[in-house]
Amino acid sequence: MLAQILTLPGIVITTLLADMAYSDGDVRVAVEEHGTELVAKVAPVTNGGRFPKTDFEIDLEANSVTCPALETTTDARPVTDHKGRAALRFVFAAVTCGACPFQTQCTTAKGGRQITVGVHEARITAARAAQAEPATKALLRRRSKVERKIDHLQDLGMRQARLPGPTKDAPAGAARGHRGQLQAPRCPRRVRHRPPNWPSPPVDRALGPCVCATRAICRRIGPEESSAPPSRTINPIVRRADQRAS
């Protein structure tokens, strides 16, 4: 998608804010190939309450790993990652881990602690260190505001098409007057996050479920309202529904 956007005239993207799901090394490489910097939180590393991988000092130039107890290993064994790419697994000696006072806080393996280093280790380490900087924190706060607004719009039915029939996903059909008028959005209470004991909105057998006259107020369109002139606060879509009912 980024490549398609960059083909548009006058579009230049220097920084791309993304969710944590898009912060792995492969995505970062793909974004950097287009001359764009990816700013996204790196997924935290856990180890069941024991020392995670991030507590170890990995020196890629010296090809060594130092543990929190300041023990260093250079025993690097070639392995493959989950995508079949070459990686290195640094193994601490069983004797070293067995005599360490932090063994119970580090590993339960009898053969010693192991640290796997993948092809994107340097890139992920740099991104994890950058997310602690004030400038990066400010960018990530901007992204979270957009995410909350998108989630709010989805609660209001943003992903639901507004045209009936086979062409409901083609907005151009509305300009051609294809198959009638636009539909009113569903009530937000019927889309997501409705508690189990929340009463269902009122339903009129002639018009179906309730529609939203404003963004936050749900009103029922019944026979007693169909003959009354629509107020200025009624959505034009709801107004057409009143006219059809009358």
Side-chain angles (χ1 to χ4, degrees):
M1 182 181 294
L2 178 62
Q4 296 176 356
I5 296 176
L6 291 175
T7 58
L8 300 176
I11 299 297
V12 177
I13 301 177
T14 58
T15 304
L16 180 64
L17 303 180
D19 187 74
M20 186 185 299
Y22 303 95
S23 65
D24 64 338
D26 292 337
V27 177
R28 292 181 182 275
V29 171
V31 173
E32 292 172 1
E33 289 177 352
H34 296 285
T36 304
E37 178 188 5
L38 177 65
V39 178
K41 271 191 174 183
V42 180
V45 180
T46 59
N47 187 30
R50 292 177 288 272
F51 292 145
K53 177 182 176 180
T54 51
D55 287 348
F56 289 72
E57 182 181 349
I58 301 175
D59 192 340
L60 297 178
E61 295 182 358
N63 208 28
S64 64
V65 174
T66 303
C67 72
L70 302 182
E71 296 288 346
T72 302
T73 181
T74 56
D75 183 6
R77 305 175 184 180
V79 293
T80 56
D81 61 7
H82 64 286
K83 293 185 178 181
R85 298 170 298 193
L88 290 177
R89 179 170 296 165
F90 290 85
V91 181
F92 288 85
V95 177
T96 302
C97 292
C100 180
F102 303 110
Q103 180 185 17
T104 56
Q105 305 177 41
C106 182
T107 181
T108 58
K110 297 181 180 180
R113 181 66 185 267
Q114 301 179 2
I115 299 295
T116 303
V117 177
V119 294
H120 300 302
E121 186 66 33
R123 182 175 283 101
I124 295 300
T125 301
R128 183 178 287 109
Q131 69 186 20
E133 299 176 357
T136 305
K137 289 182 177 180
L139 289 174
L140 293 175
R141 284 195 295 269
R142 293 176 59 185
R143 188 208 62 80
S144 61
K145 292 180 181 179
V146 175
E147 289 289 336
R148 287 194 294 268
K149 179 54 65 176
I150 292 177
D151 182 71
H152 174 67
L153 293 175
Q154 290 177 357
D155 289 346
L156 298 178
M158 180 182 67
R159 289 184 174 180
Q160 299 177 7
R162 298 292 177 254
L163 284 174
T167 59
K168 61 182 180 180
D169 295 327
R176 299 190 301 267
H178 182 72
R179 299 198 64 174
Q181 304 293 339
L182 294 173
Q183 290 181 336
R186 293 182 181 179
C187 171
R189 295 182 302 175
R190 297 178 64 87
V191 180
R192 293 174 57 189
H193 308 310
R194 190 178 69 179
N197 57 348
W198 193 305
S200 299
V203 177
D204 185 88
R205 297 184 181 277
L207 298 178
C210 70
V211 293
C212 294
T214 64
R215 191 174 67 174
I217 302 176
C218 298
R219 61 187 298 271
R220 177 186 180 186
I221 301 179
E224 65 279 0
E225 298 179 10
S226 60
S227 58
S231 62
R232 295 182 179 180
T233 60
I234 297 180
N235 190 295
I237 299 175
V238 179
R239 186 181 304 172
R240 287 194 292 270
D242 290 340
Q243 295 173 357
R244 289 197 301 269
S246 59

